[in-house]
Structures are given as C-alpha cells and as structure tokens.
Amino acid sequence: MSRMYLAAAGSGKTTFLLEKTSDKSKRYLYTTFTDENAENARDMLIKKYGCVPSNVTILPWFSFLLEHGVRPFQGAAGFKDMQFTGIQIKPEGRNYYKQPALRHYCNSSNAIYAAKLPELALLCNKQSGGAVLNRLQRIFDAVLIDEVQDMAGYDYEFIELLINSDINIILCGDERQKTYRTNGSRKNKGKTLECFLQERKLIGRCPVDRNTLNGSHRCGETIIQFANKLYPTFPQTKSLAKSSSSRHSGVWLVPDSCAQAYSDKYHPVVLRDKSNIKTIDSSNILNFGKSKGRTYDDVLIYPVGSVRKWLSNHEQDLKEQTCSRFYVAVTRARYSVGIVLPDKEANQLNDIYQVWENTFE
C-alpha cells in the first residue's frame, strides 16, 4: 500500500526510503526535488553496496517528469518533432497562451517552465490514453518520493495519478522544512500535500503516518525541545540521539561581541539567512537553504529580525518561509546551537536562555 510519512529533522527519512529498495526482485525509482539530494541518495547506496543496485533508478524530480512523463509521448500531445531543451525555473510561465499551445508550456528557447512541466506530463498521459502511466507501471514496482514538502502546483496532480495506479508510492517529507518549492505555480498554492490528499479522498489509498519518523537521530534533546517551539501545533519531535556530557552542548545566545571567540573555541558551522548578512570570520559559512539535509556537530546562527523578536516572545508570528529556514538552521546541529544577538538583546534574555560569555567556559 502507498503511504506518506511525515518526518522530523534528522529522522533518517532518506535512509528509511532507500532501505525499502533491498528487495532485488522489485524495481524502484527514487526521486527528490534537488540534484544535491539525489546525489546524496546515490552516495548512500554506493557506500552501502559499492554501486547503485541495478534495480534502483535515481532521478531528480524534473528529470523524472521530463524523461518519463513528457518525452516518450509528447507526440500524442501534438509536439512530436519538438526538441525540448530543458527546464526554465523562472519566470514561472504565467502567460496568455492557453493549453495545449506550445508556448503555454515553454519559452522561446523551448525550455519547459517548471510550473508547467507536471501539467504537460499529465497532458501527455491524457492524450496518449494513459500511456505514460502504463509505461511507468511496466518499468517500476515502487516510486519513492523524498522531500515531498518541496512539491507544488501540478506536482500534486501528478502524484495523485501515481497513487491511483498499481505502483506502490512511498512519500517522505517534513512540512517544517519547506524552504524550497519546485515551482511558483498558483495551482494548489498554500495547500500542503496532506490537505490535497484529504480533499481528493486519497487517504484511503495513501494513509499519512506521523509517528514512524517522528524521532531525531541527529539533534540532542535541548535542541529538539527548542525547535519544537517553532511549530507548537505539530506533533512534538523526540530526540533519539545519544547525549554527551563531556562536550559543549545545548542552545546558547551568543552576544555579538563574543561571537568570534565562540567560533574560535568551538569551530561551529556559521549559518545565515542570506549572503549579505555580515558574520564573524570563518572558513565555513553557509546560507540556511544550502545547509538543508546536512548534519554538523555545532552551528552558529545569525537570525533575521523577526526571529530575534520571536526569541523574546514565542507568540510573535513568523512568516512561513522565515520559520522554516530558521528551523532548518537549528536542526542541523548534533550538539550545540549558538544564536548571535546584539549584546543588549542577548543579556536581556539571560533569564530565559543560556548566554555565552568569553569567560564563561
């Protein structure tokens, strides 16, 4: 049976999905939005088996839709001789050309708009009498979709098509880590995939599991408890990580004047929301989005202004993207999270948080 697993940060969802490919008599497709995540899955299989097993295909989401959804049957949609050159991420293809005109789907260089790619795959399936889906059913026994929180627009409809097929569909994702979107389509905007499944009455065919992957093998208990406060209406994540009393750990506020000394002492990875945010000198600085999917022992975070306000008052509303990006940054750490604030702000919160000083440890 198909199933969607709503996972916690550090729960090992990619490992969980790849472990399902161990049955050599079955043929699996693993797909995920970013090339980086696809390469990570490939590396994990190579590390385990020395190669990617012959019964496993790994494709980024766009490549999957293009290679299996569009190109084999584009002739049925009226584009037989068209050489599509790739995917156009932005702009999103909002235009006045109506379906099924070619320019509804692609730009003048024949690159398909990301927002229109799943829509075009669905058209190819419809106009070919279901040949796209029939072909997929012959090729794959199961499709494993990672990071489903990144899906958007007509992706939902294509996933619906898969769920209603004979293929076993396993989906994993964490709505708290929705820092990316495959496209900016207005279709299904503001709607989670879970809500979509409920609206389409697909829960019977694809139940939602919130428990199996609700523990974090990465983050210590203090870090997870802090991260849970960002999403109080979500099931509270448990820490499954081994604690360490022999090293620096926990969540700390770091006065700006102490940040360089903190970094020199603990060598954290420095995380910032955008590249124009000034930080201390470090050889390891990443934007929040680039850190997604990674694990570090220690991180030092430079929060944006609204997060600084939230730290003093958890009733303060955070925009969805701001909350997700900060959640991702916090949950990269195994042992310690340092959050840099202006000296005055940090010291005003010393009754709520641990405040690190150069002479403290």
Side-chain angles (χ1 to χ4, degrees):
M1 174 184 279
S2 297
R3 191 172 298 270
M4 182 165 76
Y5 294 89
L6 296 183
S11 62
K13 58 183 178 295
T14 302
T15 300
F16 175 81
L17 285 174
L18 294 179
E19 284 177 348
K20 293 186 175 296
T21 67
S22 59
D23 185 347
K24 304 305 180 187
S25 68
K26 304 289 186 182
R27 299 155 300 169
Y28 300 90
L29 169 72
Y30 171 93
T31 183
T32 184
F33 172 32
T34 66
D35 292 349
E36 184 177 3
N37 286 339
E39 284 303 310
N40 178 55
R42 189 182 309 277
D43 291 343
M44 290 171 68
L45 286 176
I46 291 173
K47 183 177 181 180
K48 183 173 183 178
Y49 297 112
C51 65
V52 176
S54 59
N55 66 319
V56 181
T57 299
I58 297 176
L59 285 174
W61 182 246
F62 290 161
S63 298
F64 165 56
L65 291 176
L66 189 59
E67 293 180 24
H68 291 281
V70 174
R71 283 183 171 147
F73 300 102
Q74 66 185 61
F79 309 130
K80 180 179 179 180
D81 298 321
M82 181 55 55
Q83 295 292 323
F84 292 116
T85 58
I87 309 302
Q88 173 68 53
I89 305 299
K90 292 181 180 179
E92 300 297 343
R94 294 171 185 163
N95 55 54
Y96 296 101
Y97 295 99
K98 302 300 182 183
Q99 188 188 55
L102 176 65
R103 288 291 171 259
H104 175 78
Y105 301 104
C106 65
N107 62 21
S108 58
S109 299
N110 296 331
I112 303 173
Y113 297 113
K116 303 296 177 64
L117 177 58
E119 184 183 2
L120 179 55
L122 288 164
L123 177 69
C124 289
N125 184 67
K126 179 181 178 181
Q127 296 301 101
S128 65
V132 170
L133 188 58
N134 290 335
R135 180 174 177 272
L136 285 169
Q137 289 177 144
R138 292 195 304 271
I139 297 174
F140 301 113
D141 297 297
V143 172
L144 315 175
I145 306 178
D146 206 351
E147 305 289 0
V148 293
Q149 76 278 352
D150 296 337
M151 301 299 164
Y154 278 95
D155 291 337
Y156 287 8
E157 266 77 7
F158 198 85
I159 290 173
E160 177 183 22
L161 182 73
L162 295 174
I163 290 173
N164 281 322
S165 74
D166 295 333
I167 306 171
N168 190 30
I169 310 301
I170 306 297
L171 311 104
C172 278
D174 182 0
E175 286 295 332
R176 291 162 290 203
Q177 297 187 65
K178 196 167 186 173
T179 59
Y180 295 124
R181 293 180 71 200
T182 55
N183 63 80
S185 173
R186 296 174 183 174
K187 183 75 172 178
N188 295 313
K189 188 172 183 180
K191 188 182 301 181
T192 66
L193 181 56
E194 181 182 11
C195 289
F196 177 83
L197 296 180
Q198 290 171 342
E199 287 179 4
R200 297 300 179 96
K201 296 180 171 54
L202 292 170
I203 297 297
R205 291 187 64 88
C206 184
V208 177
D209 183 327
R210 290 179 172 273
N211 299 315
T212 300
L213 296 176
N214 195 38
S216 176
H217 297 279
R218 177 193 299 142
C219 305
E221 182 63 31
T222 304
I223 296 171
I224 281 297
Q225 287 181 3
F226 177 77
N228 281 339
K229 293 176 182 177
L230 286 162
Y231 290 93
T233 62
F234 278 62
Q236 298 295 281
T237 301
K238 306 180 292 290
S239 173
L240 304 176
K242 294 180 180 179
S243 60
S244 176
S245 58
S246 60
R247 73 177 322 279
H248 177 66
S249 62
V251 177
W252 296 80
L253 298 188
V254 181
D256 187 58
S257 63
C258 299
Q260 190 65 58
Y262 183 92
S263 179
D264 293 342
K265 187 177 182 69
Y266 302 116
H267 308 290
V269 174
V270 178
L271 302 179
R272 60 188 176 186
D273 189 71
K274 296 179 180 177
S275 57
N276 62 356
I277 294 178
K278 186 178 179 180
T279 70
I280 49 97
D281 292 329
S282 173
S283 60
N284 204 347
I285 302 174
L286 288 174
N287 290 354
F288 291 169
K290 283 291 184 182
S291 72
K292 186 179 177 184
R294 303 186 184 186
T295 297
Y296 306 107
D297 285 348
D298 309 278
V299 301
L300 182 64
I301 300 172
Y302 280 77
V304 296
S306 57
V307 171
R308 285 162 47 188
K309 293 179 181 178
W310 176 86
L311 287 167
S312 62
N313 177 14
H314 292 169
E315 299 300 318
Q316 177 78 30
D317 288 334
L318 291 174
K319 292 182 179 179
E320 181 182 7
Q321 274 286 299
T322 301
C323 195
S324 290
R325 291 167 72 83
F326 185 58
Y327 179 87
V328 165
V330 168
T331 55
R332 296 314 90 198
R334 286 193 181 98
Y335 301 114
S336 75
V337 174
I339 303 171
V340 181
L341 295 181
D343 289 23
K344 184 177 180 181
E345 290 182 28
N347 291 325
Q348 286 176 339
L349 297 176
N350 62 5
D351 58 334
I352 304 175
Y353 304 98
Q354 302 177 100
V355 177
W356 191 88
E357 298 178 12
N358 195 16
T359 58
F360 191 90
E361 295 185 358

